[in-house]
Amino acid sequence: MKMDLVSGYKGVVGLVFGNESSSNEDSYVERLLGRISNGKLAEDRRNAIIELQAIVAESQAAQLAFGAMGFSVMLSVLREERDDVEMVRGSLEILLSALTPINHAKGSSNEVQPALMNTDLLSREAESISLLLSLLAEDDFYVRYYTLQLLTSLLTNSPQRLQEAILIIPRGITRLMDMLMDREVIRNEALLLLTHLTREAEEIQKIVVFEGAFEKIFSIIKEEGGSDGGVVVQDCLELLNNLLCNNASNQVLLRETIGLDSLISILKLKGSSYTFSQQKTINLLSALETIKLLIKGGSEADPGRDLNKQTNKKTLVQKKVLDHLLMLGVESPWASVAVRCAALRCIADLIAGDSKNRDILSSKFLGEEPQVEPALNSILRIILRTSSMQEFMAADFVFESFCEKNADGQTMLASTLIPQPYSMNHAPLEEDINMSFGSMLLHGLTLGENDGDLEVCGRAASVLCHVLKDNSHCKERVLRIEIEAPIPSLGASEPLLHRMMIYLALASSMKSKEGRLRSSDNSYLQVMILKLLVTWLADCPSAVHCFLDARPHLTYLLELVSNLSETVCIRGLAAVVLGECVIYNKSTDSAKDAFAIVDMMSQKIGLSSYFLNFDEMHKKFIFANEESSPNNSKSFTRSSAASMEDIVDLDNEDLSEQKNVDLPFLSSIMDSCFVNLVKGLEEAIREQIVEVYSHPKIKVAVVPAELEQKNGESDGEYMKRLKAFLEKQCSEIKDLLVRNATLAEDLVKTGGGGNFQSEQRVSGGSGRGQINALNRDLQEASQRLEMLKAEKAKVESEAKKYQNLAEKMEADLRGLSDAYNSLEQSNIQLEKEVKTLKSGGASTFPDVEAIKAEAREEAQKESEGELNDLLVCLGQEQSKVDRLTARLLELGEDVDKLLEGIGDDVGNVEDDDYEEDND
């Protein structure tokens, strides 16, 4: 196998670099390897090693040539020349150069990389890993240093093979762990190697922890200065995160052996004037990643994950981690946006599903006298004031976690929602320091009507959505809140729900022709307000009644659903709000009941177009990936940390690759719980519309003349005629109801209108939306027709193929039958010949002597040919001997003396062979 790899490798050398250009490198590398392996003088061998290292470090062709024939030579030196430190150093340097890519080489992306191929070859060498690990016990500093670099190169390019080999080697990981206590340079190399080694390798993680990794990691972090340290602290935290990620047992060991104090101390800010360098930011982000892993508790498949998760949370809170997280995420103005966001997300994870931790957070106060305020107020201020979209989403995630299945907390927050005078509502945001939580939230909800204030309104709407979610009491309480009109003398106060509809319409009207807001491209505002409306109206008939009190609300929603210039997400959520006005409608007013709304939907936009909005919304990534969490973040490594140090706001990126594409951060605003709510509402909306549509209201009709009693008609005949008439009418009504229900169900299932819907749209006056819907239906039908044609062609092609195959098989069968018949005839003929031979017919026996003579003649011809070939070969060899004899004479050698005994030995061997043959 190894020879096949090497021979294939030599072929690659010629293929990539050309035989002519690589021949010089091959021969030079081969000569140097020969001097190293066969040289008599130690100094000459060392010089050869120096020359070989230089050429391998500079030339890709030399790297390829060395990989084809040099590894066995170098490993032999490492194995047999341990006493010669210079030879061992040089051999390690050559191996390291062979495994290091040459950066200045410019080639195509698909060009063969010699360093990668050499890594693969070296990792396949028998006992190469164990030999390198044994070198870690050597006293020489550079031997240990180069060995660690070699192992790191092997692990980077062939991780699985090296991980398997190290697990098999006795005390292999122990030797690596010992390097953490070595000199600083070697310790840092060992850290990098262990970081690569423990990535997604659970068995190695357990051994490393057993060897005391936690104590050594935190000892190095403390020695380097904690979060103020350099890149070594980052490497230590990356190794720590590898050991804790999805590993509940290691988390338990950390918690119960050395505790979590050392980890929490990394988050503690020291001094009065905090400085945040780029490296300190990365170190803090890595430590916050560790906190997040502990809060997660382990892999989802681990049965003890939930218990470990709760224990970790309890321990972290007992160690006052909330104070440090609030300092980093809320109070520290010097921290970068990335650190603040990570700290806020850790706070959200810490309180999620934990009532005690929620109470602790709600009781926290921040700031210094006299400007002390609750922590929740400070987090709300971040939501309303921050210019970073990422920071808004992280702070909003805190309130989402706080309010999720926390009725008491929601009621506590809703109880502070007290309207302020109009003059206070329009005060600057900077004057909200003394406001309660509810007053500050209402201040943000009603701040103003320009684009900047609308953005604050949208963010406040997101917080209010969390307060109202799944809480009927809070919905009713907030429903009673009325906002003072801008000029009280010109108008009465209005419900907060109505004000939200005004802002929704304003956000849409303030878009430019390109469909964007004039200022900061905040087209997500409509989505957040619609999310509030969907949450508020869900299972709340009082909110639906309040919403329908203003008839323009319904008209605007119908226009929004049919407006193709809006995004799919906006149209879909507007359709959900309309559907809630149907399923939660308890109105007795014929102009605002469920039937009236369904009738308006049918007349204005058509039910097929209405349901099409649901289908289009489900195709978007937000609904397709409902498991997405706003708490997703990548693990920190040296390569990724620099790029992740600053979280760039999505506002500054090009977010619309094509028209009507939803913004990427909407997946954070529309969390999985809300997506599931929308899906459940959609199913209920479809069923309710089918019910309303198939059972229309019975209108009063004029009594037909047939029901009046005729002159001279007896009472008995009149009753019989009435009975027959009623039975006929009942039968016709039943048939109509069945047909209506069937058509409505087909409409919901297929999303198409059919003839019935087309007639209704035409009779109701088809508008632009209906025409567009018909065009979409036509396009879908055309696409289905094309698909059916393609399937038909495919089926016909397969049928033809199988028909040809059957014909071929039939022909083969006929051929086999003919062959069988032929064999039968041949067999009969042979049997006849055998019978003839048995009967003694001499004429049928072959001439044996003639056959023997012919065979002897052919054998003699063959032997004569072989003898001639042998004589030619002997002649060629004799010419070579003559040339060699002449050359030896020129060099002054005695040829006769050199040839003494050679013939005798050959003769003796031949005699022995002859005797063996005779025997």
Side-chain angles (χ1 to χ4, degrees), residues 19 146 179 182 206 209 213 260 316 391 402 442 481 518 534 561 575-576 701 806 820 872:
N19 291 326
Y146 293 146
M179 296 296 100
D182 209 317
K206 291 180 180 178
V209 170
L260 304 181
L316 286 168
E391 191 172 12
F402 182 83
L442 286 175
I481 295 177
R518 284 196 296 266
V534 170
V561 172
V576 174
Y820 178 76
V872 172

Side-chain angles (χ1 to χ4, degrees), residues 475-543:
K475 291 178 182 179
E476 297 285 351
R477 185 187 186 97
V478 178
L479 198 61
R480 293 192 293 269
I481 295 177
E482 293 190 349
I483 307 300
E484 185 180 346
I487 304 177
S489 61
L490 296 181
S493 57
E494 59 181 341
L496 179 62
L497 182 62
H498 290 194
R499 182 65 65 88
M500 291 298 99
M501 280 300 299
I502 292 174
Y503 289 159
L504 176 64
L506 282 172
S508 178
S509 64
M510 294 176 70
K511 289 182 180 179
S512 64
K513 295 181 180 180
E514 291 78 17
R516 300 183 178 185
L517 286 180
R518 284 196 296 266
S519 60
S520 55
D521 203 12
N522 296 321
S523 56
Y524 63 93
L525 296 178
Q526 288 174 280
V527 175
M528 289 195 292
I529 297 176
L530 284 169
K531 179 185 176 182
L532 172 62
L533 294 176
V534 170
T535 305
W536 201 342
L537 269 58
D539 200 19
C540 187
S542 300

Side-chain angles (χ1 to χ4, degrees), residues 4 18 32-33 75 103 160 212 267 318 340 352-353 389 474 516 600 607 652 721 743 757 783 801 861 906:
D4 293 340
L32 292 175
L33 289 171
L75 293 177
N103 295 327
Q160 186 173 0
L267 301 175
Q318 287 175 349
R340 296 203 300 268
M389 180 57 61
C474 289
R516 300 183 178 185
M600 288 182 67
L607 292 184
N652 300 326
R721 190 164 59 81
L743 288 172
Q757 189 62 36
Q783 291 175 358
K801 182 176 69 174
K861 289 180 180 179
V906 177

Side-chain angles (χ1 to χ4, degrees), residues 180-184 187-188 216-226 229-230 232-233 236:
L180 292 179
M181 298 292 103
D182 209 317
R183 294 167 60 179
E184 184 176 345
R187 179 200 69 186
N188 297 345
K216 294 175 181 177
I217 287 172
F218 285 110
S219 174
I220 296 173
I221 291 175
K222 184 177 180 181
E223 181 183 341
E224 292 292 321
V232 176
V233 175
C236 287

